Amino acid sequence: MGFSSDNLHGLILAVSSSIFIGSSFIIKKKGLKKAGNRGTRAGSGGYSYLYEPWWWAGMVTMIVGEIANFAAYAYAPAILVTPLGALSIIFSAVLAHFILEEKLHIFGVLGCVLCVVGSVTIVLHAPQERSIQSVKEVWQLATEPGFIVYTCVVVLVVAVLIFRYVPRCGQTHMVVYIGICSLMGSLTVMSVKAVGIALKLSFSGSNQFIYFQTWFFTVVVIACCLLQINYLNMALDTFNTAVVSPVYYVMFTTFTILASMIMFKDWDSQDASQIATEVCGFITILAGTFLLHKTKDMGNVTPVQPPVIISESRDCSDSNYR
């Protein structure tokens, strides 16, 4: 399936975004480690990282990546843009191996390869971008019953995770922090796409900022991003970066594609074979991420020395040896 010019622009922006975001994980983690040596760790609720230049450098890098990602959603459908986040997994895992000394085993490398193969499969069969002439059209899609139900479910689940499970098992179960980031991320992407479309149309001569819908989507983007940054910092400070990145990617991609299917009905224009290929590609990504997660400590295991048995010396003439 060939790319339209809009899809091609979205592809280039998404690849650039992944490189910047992948690097930001490493820079921020370095800053978090330095800040943790001087004050309360972010994973324990501390905010000393706000005084650490390395953390701010990571934030700037992430912002650049997110701006590129922001622009990509204005040109291409979420099903094309979101899976390319696999490149940030590869970049952050490799950099973590060399810079943070978080060892990546050979099976982790294979997991990264599977993530890329799955992402390429999805990208090659992604639908064309839907033609939208006004932000009011996006608002109509967002206020349909299906997406309203999805939004309510997401907000409810996130509230339960924050107030019930974060205090109890946030330090031991990575899925709590990542779940909050991923669920809110799916709403962020839908709002980012709306604001991106509004900017694209405004630059083309049709001002969309005269409508309250554009400002509503903008507020949602800011609120969701602040929440995601807070819990992503906690996840990065508590767990291995080489594992946080792929798990966050898979959960974020899953919920974003689901939200896009409900809101923009991306699969309505595709046949069964294209949808099946995309599903297979996503299963490949899941397999790669599972492999990364299960083998994350294989290269760091210290071999256990067998116990030394000291026996009393006996004379060979002892009756037990006859």
Side-chain angles (χ1 to χ4, degrees), residues 5-254:
S5 60
D6 278 352
N7 276 18
L8 182 59
H9 290 150
L11 174 64
I12 294 171
L13 287 167
V15 171
S16 302
S17 169
S18 294
I19 294 174
F20 281 105
I21 292 175
S23 302
S24 74
F25 276 105
I26 307 305
I27 301 172
K28 287 173 68 179
K29 181 64 177 281
K30 193 173 181 67
L32 288 169
K33 291 176 74 172
K34 283 179 172 292
N37 294 331
R38 297 196 306 268
T40 305
R41 295 168 59 91
S44 301
Y47 295 93
S48 58
Y49 59 84
L50 293 175
Y51 302 97
E52 177 55 51
W54 276 99
W55 185 84
W56 283 107
M59 275 301 299
V60 171
T61 306
M62 176 170 277
I63 289 170
V64 172
E66 292 296 348
I67 290 173
N69 199 45
F70 181 101
Y73 282 112
Y75 286 96
I79 290 179
L80 187 154
V81 175
T82 308
L84 288 175
L87 295 179
S88 67
I89 294 177
I90 307 304
F91 212 65
S92 63
V94 171
L95 288 179
H97 177 81
F98 290 106
I99 297 176
L100 301 180
E101 297 182 355
E102 297 177 358
K103 300 302 180 183
L104 186 64
H105 193 267
I106 184 63
F107 289 110
V109 175
L110 178 59
C112 291
V113 172
L114 288 174
C115 288
V116 172
V117 170
S119 296
V120 170
T121 302
I122 293 177
V123 168
L124 291 177
H125 295 83
Q128 298 295 334
E129 172 69 328
R130 179 176 185 152
S131 177
I132 295 178
Q133 303 301 321
S134 170
V135 74
K136 288 185 175 181
E137 293 182 36
V138 183
W139 180 261
Q140 290 174 354
L141 294 171
T143 53
E144 289 185 356
F147 191 72
I148 289 177
V149 170
Y150 175 80
T151 302
C152 291
V153 170
V154 166
V155 172
L156 178 62
V157 172
V158 167
V160 171
L161 288 174
I162 291 175
F163 295 109
R164 181 177 177 83
Y165 289 101
V166 166
R168 295 185 179 186
C169 49
Q171 293 290 308
T172 56
H173 293 75
M174 179 176 57
V175 71
V176 175
Y177 293 147
I178 302 303
I180 294 170
C181 294
S182 302
L183 286 165
M184 295 308 296
S186 66
L187 299 182
T188 303
V189 168
M190 297 304 101
S191 299
V192 161
K193 190 168 181 65
V195 176
I197 290 171
L199 285 170
K200 179 182 173 183
L201 293 172
S202 296
F203 289 142
S204 299
S206 177
N207 186 11
Q208 299 296 304
F209 286 87
I210 60 175
Y211 305 120
F212 85 91
Q213 291 92 338
T214 302
W215 296 104
F216 176 84
F217 286 126
T218 302
V219 171
V220 172
V221 169
I222 295 171
C224 290
C225 284
L226 290 175
L227 190 65
Q228 286 176 254
I229 289 171
N230 183 54
Y231 286 99
L232 183 57
N233 282 333
M234 291 184 178
L236 284 171
D237 192 49
T238 307
F239 303 100
N240 192 308
T241 308
V243 180
V244 170
S245 298
V247 173
Y248 176 47
Y249 164 74
V250 169
M251 292 184 68
F252 172 75
T253 303
T254 301

Side-chain angles (χ1 to χ4, degrees), residues 264-313:
F264 290 97
K265 303 175 179 61
D266 291 323
W267 280 355
D268 284 359
S269 62
Q270 295 189 291
D271 56 35
S273 64
Q274 291 174 315
I275 295 174
T277 303
E278 291 174 16
V279 171
C280 289
F282 190 64
I283 292 174
T284 303
I285 297 173
L286 291 177
T289 304
F290 177 79
L291 189 60
L292 268 171
H293 180 68
K294 297 301 289 185
T295 62
K296 66 181 184 298
D297 295 323
M298 288 183 65
N300 300 322
V301 176
T302 303
V304 179
Q305 297 294 332
V308 178
I309 300 175
I310 303 176
S311 59
E312 294 179 5
S313 60

